[in-house]
């Protein structure tokens, strides 16, 4: 996000504010001056988009996860080789003041997806120029880089503010790398361009905010936040400012270039300083910009968003928990130990899910897994129905009326308002001879791993015996749980076909080598399989939510998709299987054939039916 058009303005109109720099030289200079090991702060989501685009992987197959993980490891290693430590900071929550912008982006993305699916259905291949990030990687990326040994954090608000603040407070930080124009506005460490980063030479462009302000805008650098608000940013949109801008000049092309000089003249002539605590000045700005005083809070919020060291009151957890628990929820979130959904739910009673690569041919993923989420809400908000016994005629424990606001982007949901969803009280039976009605404190701190796993199993509510789940290899748990959930389906109607189940299991059993995966022939694209891969990966994200709810009985490393899923391999094997259904072709070795038969039978799938399946 940021000030739309500002970076183009700097690159095209302010050449001296765009300086080619060597990251190695900047780091060495910082080391000598401050006697510290230099740190570069990475805007996580911005970096992720650039990384995936640079890999040139087939976007629509569901993710070549092993290759993505290797690319992340290589990126970290390159900077380590020159003595630079990377600190990744990722968006971990949605700032409410930016909800409208979030909704706009989600709805626009689905219009693009509709066009993409139309083209795939016509040509059975990925449209040229199609790019994006794999489903679920936006959530997992912070956990991946942390697992690779880098420092990674997820925020409780918009990441750009946290990044700017972190850089100011840590003297070892010499720069921020991103492609978000807000970092031109923040009075923080130098801002380096990720779009212009050359990994071979470790050179890029430094956007010099001081040069921009003093030489080209002829404003003190402290006025940049006010300039950003009057040009238009995530708090004050261009639509809101349209009348003000047209009163200054006629806009033909180069939006920021057309209005920058006029806005700077107004700021200087009026003597505005952009002080968030000066209500008289804020009133004057609102009258000039909006024609009334109703815009004061927009101006103030916009200015405040750039105010580093501004003491924002911390938000509080929405349920009664111990002080230890509240501290632990925050720390697990910030240090990338929990799915980010947990923080949003317990602190905001919200669940957020961005658009995913699906069309209108199947039930939206967000709805497929809603009941599982509702059972998570039941556990998080302490809603249970205890078993009926002679000494206990049935009782319910609940923390009052609980409503969760779900912001889930899917076809047909225009996100004009959140969907209001109630928790499903969990029906709990006994384990080891005792009734289990645990609080979140119990789940996270007091229960054994097996008891946590039992709660995990109860929330998923899958057609799989608990002892079978306990005895599964850790790398197979997510795959088995997602497939079992899809086989159970909605209202006992399976969401996957036997051949789809067999292929998903088979690809998980391949001994995956990156070079072999890279050299696989490009499969033709079946739109149904694009949907299926998305459905599977949202299932993985749901299992992650359940595990985090239950105190993480499933270690993070075993949730990572490259351990059991490769999207391109799935499409490749499925295409082969539709032409010639064969266990041997799917598995390549006797051990895998045996495992495939065992796993599919355990999920109530009669695999022999697949052998005689005709080409679809």
């Amino acid at each position: 996000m940021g000030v739309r058009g500002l970076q183009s303005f700097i690159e095209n109109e302010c050449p001296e504010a765009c300086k080619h720099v060597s990251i190695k030289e900047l780091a060495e200079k910082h080391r000598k001056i401050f006697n510290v090991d230099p740190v570069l702060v990475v805007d996580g989501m911005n970096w992720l988009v650039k990384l995936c685009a640079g890999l040139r992987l087939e976007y629509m197959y569901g993710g070549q996860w092993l290759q993505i993980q290797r690319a992340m490891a290589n990126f970290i290693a390159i900077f380590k080789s020159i003595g630079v430590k990377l600190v990744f900071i990722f968006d971990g929550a949605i700032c409410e003041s930016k909800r409208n912008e979030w909704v706009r982006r989600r709805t626009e993305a689905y219009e693009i997806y509709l066009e993409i699916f139309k083209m795939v259905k016509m040509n059975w291949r990925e449209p040229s120029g199609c790019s994006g990030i794999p489903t679920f990687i936006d959530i997992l990326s912070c956990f991946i880089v942390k697992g690779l040994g880098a420092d990674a954090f997820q925020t409780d608000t918009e990441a750009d503010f946290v990044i700017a603040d972190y850089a100011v407070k840590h003297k070892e930080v010499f720069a921020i790398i991103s492609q978000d124009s807000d970092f031109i506005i923040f009075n923080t460490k130098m801002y380096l361009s990720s779009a212009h980063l050359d990994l071979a030479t470790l050179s890029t462009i430094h956007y010099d905010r001081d040069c921009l302000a003093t030489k080209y805008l002829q404003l003190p650098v402290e006025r940049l936040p006010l300039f950003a608000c009057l040009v238009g940013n995530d708090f004050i949109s261009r639509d809101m400012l349209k009348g003000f801008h047209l009163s200054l000049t006629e806009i033909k092309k180069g939006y920021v270039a057309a209005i920058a000089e006029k806005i700077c003249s107004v700021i200087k002539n009026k003597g505005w300083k952009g002080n968030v605590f000066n209500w008289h000045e804020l009133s004057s700005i609102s009258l000039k910009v909006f024609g009334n005083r109703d815009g004061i809070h927009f101006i103030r919020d916009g200015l405040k968003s750039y105010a580093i060291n501004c003491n924002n009151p911390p938000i509080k957890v929405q349920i009664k928990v111990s002080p230890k628990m509240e501290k632990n929820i925050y720390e697990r979130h910030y240090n990338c130990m929990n799915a980010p959904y947990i923080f949003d739910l317990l602190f905001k009673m919200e669940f957020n899910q961005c658009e995913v690569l699906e069309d209108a041919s199947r039930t939206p993923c967000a709805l497929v897994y809603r009941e599982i989420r509702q059972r998570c809400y039941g556990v998080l908000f302490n809603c249970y129905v205890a078993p009926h016994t002679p000494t206990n005629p049935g009782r319910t424990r609940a923390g009052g009326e609980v409503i969760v606001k779900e912001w889930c982007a899917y076809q047909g949901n225009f996100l004009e308002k959140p969907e209001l969803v109630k928790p499903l009280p969990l029906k709990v039976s006994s384990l080891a001879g005792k009734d289990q009605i645990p609080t979140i404190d119990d789940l996270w701190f007091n229960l054994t791993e097996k008891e946590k796993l039992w709660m995990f199993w109860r929330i998923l509510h899958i057609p799989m015996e608990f002892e079978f789940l306990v005895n599964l290899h850790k790398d197979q748990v997510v795959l088995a749980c997602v497939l079992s959930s899809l086989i159970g389906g909605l209202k006992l109607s399976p969401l996957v076909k036997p051949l789809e189940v067999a292929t998903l299991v088979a690809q998980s059993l391949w001994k995956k080598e990156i070079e072999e995966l890279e050299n696989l022939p490009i499969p033709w694209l079946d739109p149904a399989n694009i949907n299926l891969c998305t459905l599977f990966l949202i299932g993985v994200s749901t299992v992650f939510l359940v595990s985090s709810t239950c105190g993480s009985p499933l270690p993070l490393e075993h949730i990572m998709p490259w351990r059991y899923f490769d999207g391109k391999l799935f499409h490749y094997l499925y295409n082969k299987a539709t032409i010639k259904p064969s266990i041997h072709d799917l598995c390549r070795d006797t051990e895998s054939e045996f495992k495939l038969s065992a796993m599919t039978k355990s999920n109530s799938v009669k695999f022999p039916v697949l052998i005689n399946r005709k080409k679809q």
Side-chain angles (χ1 to χ4, degrees):
M1 298 184 180
V3 184
R4 188 154 48 109
L6 181 57
Q7 271 166 183
S8 297
F9 170 70
I10 294 175
E11 292 178 7
N12 296 327
E13 308 292 336
C14 314
E16 291 183 41
C18 296
K19 301 174 180 177
H20 287 274
V21 293
S22 162
I23 294 177
K24 183 176 181 180
E25 290 175 5
L26 292 175
E28 286 302 319
K29 181 179 178 181
H30 194 80
R31 186 196 305 275
K32 289 177 181 177
I33 293 173
F34 295 98
N35 193 30
V36 293
D37 292 329
V39 169
L40 179 63
V41 181
V42 182
D43 180 350
M45 276 304 299
N46 181 279
W47 163 77
L48 178 64
V49 172
K50 177 174 170 55
L51 180 84
C52 290
L55 288 174
R56 301 184 185 277
L57 300 175
E58 292 77 24
Y59 159 53
M60 302 192 69
Y61 289 93
Q64 287 100 300
W65 290 87
L66 202 61
Q67 289 150 267
I68 292 170
Q69 189 246 17
R70 182 178 69 172
M72 291 180 172
N74 289 343
F75 185 88
I76 294 167
I78 287 170
F79 285 91
K80 186 177 180 181
S81 71
I82 63 167
V84 171
K85 178 182 176 181
L86 299 179
V87 172
F88 294 83
I89 298 180
F90 291 84
D91 290 294
I94 295 167
C95 181
E96 199 54 43
S97 57
K98 294 189 178 183
R99 177 64 71 182
N100 290 339
E101 178 66 14
W102 184 87
V103 167
R104 183 187 68 80
R105 294 186 178 211
R106 306 289 75 79
T107 51
E108 282 184 1
Y110 261 122
E111 292 301 316
I112 295 171
Y113 285 176
L114 287 174
E115 291 302 313
I116 289 174
F117 272 97
K118 283 181 185 177
M119 296 173 72
V120 171
K121 290 172 182 177
M122 289 171 58
N123 303 311
W124 296 87
R125 66 173 183 267
E126 185 172 281
S128 60
C130 188
S131 65
I133 62 174
T135 298
F136 190 38
I137 197 171
D138 55 331
I139 300 296
L140 279 188
S141 49
C142 62
F143 303 96
I144 297 173
V145 296
K146 185 177 180 182
L148 291 168
D151 283 357
F153 305 103
Q154 54 184 355
T155 70
D156 61 341
T157 183
E158 194 72 25
D160 50 9
F161 175 85
V162 177
I163 291 168
D165 188 59
Y166 183 95
V168 165
K169 290 177 178 176
H170 292 78
K171 71 175 184 178
E172 62 270 23
V173 175
F174 68 93
I176 294 163
I177 189 160
S178 177
Q179 202 64 28
D180 185 331
S181 55
D182 275 340
F183 292 115
I184 298 171
I185 308 301
F186 281 111
N187 189 17
T188 183
K189 300 290 175 63
M190 68 166 59
Y191 165 35
L192 306 179
S193 166
S194 61
H196 294 279
L197 174 63
D198 183 339
L199 283 176
T201 62
L202 284 179
S203 61
T204 187
I205 285 177
H206 164 215
Y207 296 110
D208 188 334
R209 70 179 64 87
D210 293 291
C211 180
L212 168 68
T214 57
K215 182 177 180 63
Y216 293 100
L217 300 180
Q218 297 178 0
L219 290 174
V221 72
E222 294 82 7
R223 303 291 183 273
L224 285 178
L226 179 57
F227 173 78
C229 290
L230 299 186
V231 169
N233 57 16
D234 297 328
F235 290 83
I236 309 170
S237 69
R238 278 189 188 172
D239 288 342
M240 295 169 63
L241 295 165
K242 189 174 182 180
F244 171 59
H245 290 165
L246 290 175
S247 73
L248 299 177
T249 186
E250 182 181 358
I251 300 167
K252 293 181 178 179
K253 62 179 182 179
Y255 198 99
V256 177
I259 62 175
E261 184 179 351
K262 298 290 184 180
I263 287 175
C264 292
S265 294
V266 172
I267 292 173
K268 287 183 286 188
N269 292 337
K270 295 288 185 181
W272 293 335
K273 299 183 183 302
N275 186 337
V276 295
F277 302 108
N278 186 336
W279 287 96
H280 178 74
E281 180 182 273
L282 294 176
S283 176
S284 172
I285 295 172
S286 183
L287 279 170
K288 176 66 177 177
V289 173
F290 301 115
N292 55 57
R293 291 184 173 84
D294 297 340
I296 287 178
H297 67 282
F298 290 112
I299 301 290
R300 186 171 188 270
D301 287 347
L303 292 170
K304 196 175 179 181
S305 72
Y306 298 114
I308 296 173
N309 296 323
C310 184
N311 293 320
N312 295 312
I315 57 175
K316 298 293 184 181
V317 70
Q318 295 292 307
I319 58 174
K320 186 176 181 180
V321 294
S322 65
K324 174 186 176 182
M325 183 64 189
E326 182 159 6
K327 182 172 181 286
N328 197 270
I329 295 168
Y330 186 85
E331 288 178 349
R332 287 193 182 202
H333 176 78
Y334 185 67
N335 293 305
C336 305
M337 299 170 67
N338 260 354
Y341 316 116
I342 299 294
F343 184 89
D344 277 348
L345 286 166
L346 291 177
F347 281 83
K348 301 180 181 180
M349 299 185 78
E350 285 184 354
F351 176 85
N352 296 283
Q353 183 176 295
C354 289
E355 72 283 353
V356 293
L357 195 60
E358 60 183 354
D359 66 1
S361 65
R362 294 194 181 196
T363 304
C365 297
L367 301 184
V368 167
Y369 297 105
R370 176 168 281 171
E371 282 195 11
I372 296 177
R373 294 198 301 273
Q374 286 178 278
R375 286 191 286 273
C376 284
Y377 307 159
V379 172
L380 289 169
F381 297 111
N382 204 25
C383 305
Y384 292 96
V385 176
H388 179 90
T389 66
T391 58
N392 175 24
R395 56 192 173 89
T396 300
R397 179 196 289 176
E401 182 72 359
V402 175
I403 300 292
V404 174
K405 293 182 289 185
E406 287 200 344
W407 293 93
C408 296
Y410 58 86
Q411 295 287 358
N413 182 14
F414 298 104
L415 298 170
E416 294 171 350
K417 58 184 179 180
E419 296 174 277
L420 304 180
V421 177
K422 291 185 178 182
L424 283 177
L426 198 65
K427 296 179 180 178
V428 186
S429 57
S430 62
L431 175 68
K434 56 182 179 181
D435 290 344
Q436 297 295 307
I437 308 183
T439 62
I440 293 298
D441 290 74
D442 293 330
L443 266 173
W444 288 19
F445 303 126
N446 300 325
L447 296 189
T448 66
E449 290 302 303
K450 187 172 182 180
E451 289 170 334
K452 292 178 182 181
L453 192 64
W454 181 79
M455 286 295 294
F456 169 87
W457 175 70
R458 294 294 299 179
I459 292 172
L460 286 173
H461 199 62
I462 50 180
M464 179 194 298
E465 292 181 3
F466 178 61
E467 289 304 318
F468 180 83
L469 176 63
V470 169
N471 293 320
L472 274 174
H473 187 279
K474 292 289 187 184
D475 281 353
Q476 296 175 340
V477 169
V478 173
L479 174 78
C481 288
V482 175
L483 288 182
S484 192
S485 176
L486 295 177
I487 289 166
L490 292 174
K491 297 181 179 177
L492 302 181
S493 175
L495 291 163
V496 285
K497 301 171 185 175
L499 185 58
E500 295 169 340
V501 175
T503 308
L504 281 166
V505 174
Q507 63 81 34
S508 76
L509 298 174
W510 270 48
K511 294 180 175 69
K512 298 179 180 65
E513 299 292 340
I514 287 179
E515 289 71 22
E516 182 179 14
L517 293 173
E518 287 176 337
N519 293 323
L520 280 178
I522 303 297
W524 48 267
L525 267 178
D526 185 337
N529 285 340
I530 298 173
N531 277 302
L532 177 60
C533 287
T534 298
L535 184 64
F536 176 80
L537 287 167
I538 295 302
V540 175
S541 75
T542 305
V543 169
F544 189 20
L545 166 63
V546 177
S547 182
S548 294
T549 298
C550 297
S552 301
L554 189 60
L556 277 170
E557 60 265 29
H558 299 290
I559 293 172
M560 299 303 161
W562 64 79
R563 293 179 175 269
Y564 49 82
F565 179 71
D566 183 273
K568 184 179 175 184
L569 178 59
F570 166 76
H571 283 267
Y572 170 77
L573 291 179
Y574 190 88
N575 290 356
K576 287 186 65 175
T578 56
I579 296 169
K580 183 185 176 183
S582 162
I583 296 178
H584 180 74
D585 286 348
L586 282 176
C587 296
R588 297 196 302 180
D589 63 68
T590 306
E591 181 184 356
S592 290
E593 288 179 33
F594 173 76
K595 288 180 180 177
L596 176 59
S597 297
M599 289 188 72
T600 50
K601 285 177 182 176
S602 72
N603 284 286
S604 305
V605 178
K606 295 182 179 179
F607 188 77
V609 173
L610 307 180
I611 303 300
N612 298 317
R613 187 184 179 94
K614 295 181 180 179
K615 180 180 176 181
Q616 294 182 342

